[in-house]
Amino acid sequence: MTRRARTTLFLAGAAGLALLLWWGFGELPVFGQTHHLYRDLAVRAALSRATANAVASVNFDQRALDTLGEETILFGSVIGVMALLRPAVEEREYRQPANRAATLDATRFVGYLALPVSLAVGLDLVVHGHLTPGGGFQGGVVVAAGLHLLYITGSFRALDRLRPVNVFDVGEALGAAAFAGIGVAGLVVGGAFLANLLPTGTLGDLLSGGSVALLNAAVGLEVACGMTVLLAQFLAQEITIAGDGGR
């Protein structure tokens, strides 16, 4: 394709996008008014299904199919990073020498202390995501970041032992498969993909919200494992991969 043809194609697409944006902005309600149709419908639907966190209700009930798409994008991104950052022919992996002296004792202490706290907070965000602000996406990121506090402490070998990449790679696939599997189960039982499978329970109780809690847990597993694999690949490329000349 010539440069002129690419420019023409771009201008045509940009014009179409500009038209859609103009149309969409023109239909927006006037700023500052109290009538918000989507907000009212979303909150009403969340309360009808005993989901205390309206955001979780939107993500995992009212538009759960969109959430499945977002989960698939993350899954594909991890696969792409793993493919791009795998050792090339001219590269090799080497064992990183221990370098604990370069890390301050205070830094190591805070890192070791914050590691279990971060994991506990991340798991709490996932488990109570249908009740309070949080959820699988947020909790999964906190768990992945908490695991990598061992890198801050200078214990890269300990980090390798704590998060074997192959295990977390399988965990990511299981989380994505679980979300899709719950959706298929809803199709079989309820007649619609991602239809609710469980009793909604009582608003505010841990066992409430129907399938929202299950979907939240599946997303938490997928995000935590996926982000861990991503960070592991970037760290490995920076620390344990060398060219022919070594380091």
Side-chain angles (χ1 to χ4, degrees):
M1 181 181 294
T2 63
R3 182 174 181 178
R4 183 173 183 178
R6 291 197 301 268
T7 302
T8 303
L9 183 61
F10 167 76
L11 292 176
L17 177 60
L19 179 61
L20 289 175
L21 290 175
W22 175 79
W23 186 16
F25 289 154
E27 295 296 326
L28 288 175
V30 179
F31 180 77
Q33 68 175 5
T34 59
H35 176 66
H36 298 281
L37 181 61
Y38 184 77
R39 177 204 61 191
D40 297 337
L41 292 175
V43 173
R44 189 180 302 118
L47 294 176
S48 68
R49 294 170 175 81
T51 307
N53 184 1
V55 175
S57 175
V58 172
N59 287 337
F60 302 110
D61 186 3
Q62 302 171 43
R63 53 170 288 267
L65 186 62
D66 293 341
T67 303
L68 176 61
E70 296 168 2
E71 211 184 11
T72 305
I73 291 173
L74 176 61
F75 185 73
S77 300
V78 174
I79 294 175
V81 169
M82 294 182 67
L84 289 173
L85 296 185
R86 69 186 187 277
V89 177
E90 67 276 7
E91 294 177 329
R92 62 179 177 83
E93 294 189 29
Y94 73 100
R95 187 175 181 83
Q96 184 210 29
N99 191 22
R100 293 175 60 85
T103 306
L104 295 175
D105 291 338
T107 302
R108 289 202 297 270
F109 174 75
V110 173
Y112 291 139
L113 185 65
L115 173 58
V117 175
S118 299
L119 294 181
V121 170
L123 292 175
D124 181 77
L125 286 173
V126 175
V127 173
H128 296 91
H130 60 296
L131 301 176
T132 59
F137 286 99
Q138 298 90 332
V141 172
V142 172
V143 169
L147 288 173
H148 285 80
L149 286 173
L150 279 179
Y151 173 70
I152 304 298
T153 66
S155 305
F156 187 72
R157 294 180 184 176
L159 176 60
D160 268 343
R161 293 192 297 270
L162 182 64
R163 54 107 178 92
V165 176
N166 292 337
V167 174
F168 279 83
D169 196 21
V170 173
E172 183 198 15
L174 289 177
F179 195 105
I182 295 171
V184 173
L187 179 62
V188 173
V189 175
F193 186 69
L194 287 168
N196 182 56
L197 298 171
L198 304 175
T200 57
T202 304
L203 182 69
D205 289 350
L206 181 61
L207 298 179
S208 62
S211 300
V212 172
L214 290 179
L215 295 171
N216 208 25
V219 169
L221 176 63
E222 199 268 344
V223 172
C225 292
M227 295 301 296
T228 299
V229 172
L230 277 177
L231 291 171
Q233 293 298 319
F234 284 120
L235 287 177
Q237 180 70 24
E238 176 65 23
I239 296 173
T240 64
I241 301 295
D244 290 334
R247 291 191 179 185

Coordinates of all heavy atoms in Angstrom, one line a residue, residues 36-55 57-58 62 203:
H36 N -30.1 11.1 35.7 CA -29.0 10.2 35.2 C -29.7 8.8 35.0 O -29.7 8.0 35.9 CB -27.8 10.1 36.1 CG -27.1 11.5 36.3 ND1 -26.3 12.0 35.3 CD2 -27.2 12.3 37.3 CE1 -25.9 13.2 35.8 NE2 -26.4 13.4 37.0
L37 N -30.1 8.6 33.8 CA -30.9 7.3 33.5 C -30.0 6.1 33.8 O -30.5 5.2 34.5 CB -31.4 7.3 32.1 CG -32.2 6.1 31.6 CD1 -33.4 6.0 32.5 CD2 -32.6 6.2 30.2
Y38 N -28.8 6.1 33.3 CA -28.0 4.9 33.4 C -27.7 4.6 34.9 O -27.7 3.5 35.3 CB -26.7 5.0 32.6 CG -25.8 3.7 32.6 CD1 -26.2 2.7 31.8 CD2 -24.7 3.7 33.4 CE1 -25.4 1.5 31.8 CE2 -23.9 2.5 33.4 CZ -24.3 1.4 32.6 OH -23.5 0.3 32.7
R39 N -27.4 5.7 35.6 CA -27.1 5.5 37.0 C -28.3 4.9 37.8 O -28.1 4.0 38.6 CB -26.7 6.9 37.6 CG -26.4 6.8 39.2 CD -26.6 8.2 39.8 NE -28.0 8.7 39.6 CZ -28.4 9.9 39.8 NH1 -27.5 10.8 40.3 NH2 -29.6 10.3 39.6
D40 N -29.4 5.5 37.5 CA -30.6 5.0 38.2 C -30.9 3.6 37.9 O -31.3 2.8 38.8 CB -31.8 5.9 37.8 CG -31.6 7.3 38.3 OD1 -30.8 7.6 39.2 OD2 -32.2 8.2 37.7
L41 N -30.8 3.2 36.6 CA -31.1 1.8 36.3 C -30.0 0.8 36.8 O -30.4 -0.3 37.3 CB -31.1 1.7 34.7 CG -32.2 2.4 34.0 CD1 -32.0 2.3 32.5 CD2 -33.6 1.8 34.4
A42 N -28.8 1.3 36.9 CA -27.7 0.4 37.4 C -27.8 0.2 38.9 O -27.7 -1.0 39.3 CB -26.3 1.0 37.1
V43 N -28.1 1.2 39.6 CA -28.3 1.1 41.1 C -29.5 0.2 41.4 O -29.5 -0.7 42.3 CB -28.4 2.4 41.7 CG1 -28.7 2.3 43.2 CG2 -27.0 3.2 41.6
R44 N -30.6 0.4 40.7 CA -31.8 -0.3 40.9 C -31.6 -1.8 40.6 O -32.0 -2.7 41.4 CB -32.9 0.2 40.0 CG -34.3 -0.4 40.4 CD -35.4 0.2 39.5 NE -35.5 1.6 39.6 CZ -35.3 2.5 38.6 NH1 -34.9 2.0 37.4 NH2 -35.4 3.8 38.8
A45 N -30.9 -2.1 39.5 CA -30.6 -3.5 39.2 C -29.7 -4.1 40.2 O -29.8 -5.3 40.6 CB -29.9 -3.6 37.8
A46 N -28.7 -3.4 40.7 CA -27.7 -3.9 41.7 C -28.5 -4.3 43.0 O -28.3 -5.4 43.6 CB -26.6 -2.9 42.0
L47 N -29.4 -3.4 43.5 CA -30.1 -3.7 44.7 C -31.1 -4.8 44.5 O -31.3 -5.6 45.4 CB -30.9 -2.4 45.1 CG -30.0 -1.2 45.5 CD1 -30.9 0.0 45.8 CD2 -29.2 -1.6 46.7
S48 N -31.7 -5.0 43.3 CA -32.6 -6.1 43.1 C -31.9 -7.4 43.1 O -32.6 -8.4 43.4 CB -33.3 -5.9 41.7 OG -32.4 -6.1 40.6
R49 N -30.6 -7.4 42.9 CA -29.8 -8.7 42.9 C -29.0 -8.8 44.2 O -28.1 -9.6 44.3 CB -28.9 -8.8 41.7 CG -29.7 -8.9 40.4 CD -28.8 -8.8 39.2 NE -29.4 -9.0 37.9 CZ -30.2 -8.2 37.2 NH1 -30.4 -7.0 37.8 NH2 -30.7 -8.4 36.1
A50 N -29.2 -7.9 45.1 CA -28.5 -8.0 46.4 C -27.0 -7.8 46.3 O -26.3 -8.4 47.0 CB -28.9 -9.2 47.2
T51 N -26.6 -7.0 45.3 CA -25.2 -6.7 45.1 C -24.9 -5.3 45.7 O -25.3 -4.3 45.1 CB -24.8 -6.8 43.7 OG1 -25.2 -8.0 43.1 CG2 -23.3 -6.6 43.5
A52 N -24.2 -5.3 46.9 CA -24.0 -4.0 47.5 C -23.2 -3.0 46.8 O -23.3 -1.8 46.8 CB -23.5 -4.2 48.9
N53 N -22.2 -3.6 46.1 CA -21.3 -2.7 45.3 C -21.9 -2.6 43.9 O -21.8 -3.6 43.1 CB -19.9 -3.4 45.2 CG -18.9 -2.5 44.4 OD1 -19.2 -1.4 44.0 ND2 -17.6 -3.0 44.3
A54 N -22.4 -1.5 43.5 CA -23.1 -1.3 42.3 C -22.1 -1.4 41.1 O -22.5 -1.9 40.0 CB -23.8 0.1 42.2
V55 N -20.8 -1.0 41.3 CA -19.8 -1.2 40.2 C -19.6 -2.6 39.9 O -19.5 -3.0 38.7 CB -18.5 -0.5 40.6 CG1 -17.5 -0.7 39.6 CG2 -18.8 1.0 40.9
S57 N -21.8 -5.0 40.3 CA -23.0 -5.4 39.7 C -22.9 -5.1 38.2 O -23.3 -5.9 37.3 CB -24.2 -4.8 40.3 OG -25.4 -5.1 39.6
V58 N -22.5 -3.9 37.9 CA -22.3 -3.5 36.4 C -21.3 -4.4 35.7 O -21.6 -4.9 34.6 CB -22.0 -2.0 36.3 CG1 -21.7 -1.7 34.9 CG2 -23.1 -1.1 36.8
Q62 N -24.6 -6.8 34.9 CA -25.3 -6.1 33.9 C -24.5 -6.0 32.5 O -25.1 -6.0 31.5 CB -25.6 -4.7 34.4 CG -26.4 -4.7 35.7 CD -26.5 -3.4 36.3 OE1 -26.8 -2.4 35.6 NE2 -26.4 -3.3 37.6
L203 N -28.8 -8.6 51.0 CA -27.9 -7.5 50.7 C -27.0 -7.2 51.9 O -27.4 -7.1 53.0 CB -28.7 -6.2 50.4 CG -27.9 -4.9 50.1 CD1 -27.3 -5.1 48.7 CD2 -28.9 -3.7 50.1

